Amino acid sequence: MSMIGNHLRITPLELDRARKDPDWVQEYADDLEDAELDEPGSPDGQLAADRLHRTEKSWDALRHLLQRAGCPVNVIRGEEAFTEADWGYGPALLLPPDRVAAAAAFLSALPYDRLIEGVTGAELEAAGLYPQGWDEPDALDFLRGYYEELVGYFAAAAREGDAMVAWLS
């Protein structure tokens, strides 16, 4: 089984609800995932495509690279505890709108080539990052698309004033 990085954009109103009722936001995420898979052309499926984002198996390498670059926000895992429920590999964590905005500003100012400047696949492999195999010749190329999608996702969330829920499944 794979460990997949996930994010869910939520409005400030939904953030308040998530803090009061953590089970609600987990059910909301599950419903959106179902709609995305089962009814991609429906309004709920389109909402899911806008609200959900996955870094797939790149989450740990991106976390490492962002930490190495001095990112002031834990973009990949979130920062604020709001539930003890296991969302797959531990509880989900929140990023309130101000932290989403700070992350978006940092990410938009850091092009991928600068993020990986001086990094080798051997360094990533030596760091013991999930999954193994970062010393493969195309490993850093593999990360580019995931990083660029993440930058766009955070920028859109910041523009709308959204918060985020982050988890591993």
Side-chain angles (χ1 to χ4, degrees):
M1 180 173 233
S2 298
M3 292 176 75
I4 304 298
N6 301 278
H7 291 89
L8 169 66
R9 287 175 49 187
I10 56 175
T11 67
L13 196 59
E14 291 167 336
L15 173 61
D16 289 341
R17 184 173 181 186
R19 285 180 171 144
K20 292 174 188 165
D21 185 4
D23 292 339
W24 167 81
V25 77
Q26 187 172 17
E27 290 171 20
Y28 180 55
D30 289 344
D31 289 347
L32 286 176
E33 287 177 330
D34 290 345
E36 184 181 39
L37 293 172
D38 299 338
E39 308 168 53
S42 72
D44 285 343
Q46 292 171 1
L47 178 64
D50 181 52
R51 293 283 167 180
L52 292 171
H53 180 265
R54 291 174 189 83
T55 53
E56 301 292 340
K57 294 180 191 178
S58 71
W59 65 270
D60 201 23
L62 291 174
R63 179 203 53 77
H64 174 82
L65 292 169
L66 289 167
Q67 185 176 34
R68 181 181 179 273
C71 185
V73 178
N74 190 338
V75 169
I76 302 300
R77 293 290 290 132
E79 297 178 339
E80 180 184 314
F82 74 103
T83 181
E84 293 180 12
D86 187 345
W87 281 43
Y89 291 93
L93 297 173
L94 293 171
L95 287 173
D98 64 320
R99 300 300 286 158
V100 170
F106 183 88
L107 294 171
S108 68
L110 184 64
Y112 183 72
D113 289 334
R114 208 166 83 224
L115 175 71
I116 63 165
E117 196 172 285
V119 175
T120 65
E123 174 191 332
L124 297 180
E125 190 66 22
L129 304 175
Y130 177 86
Q132 295 179 342
W134 292 111
D135 55 352
E136 296 294 321
D138 62 346
L140 292 174
D141 292 333
F142 167 78
L143 290 173
R144 180 182 299 276
Y146 287 106
Y147 178 73
E148 290 172 353
E149 288 176 8
L150 189 68
V151 171
Y153 181 75
F154 268 80
R159 272 192 310 275
E160 296 296 321
D162 288 340
M164 277 193 208
V165 179
W167 73 99
L168 297 176
S169 63

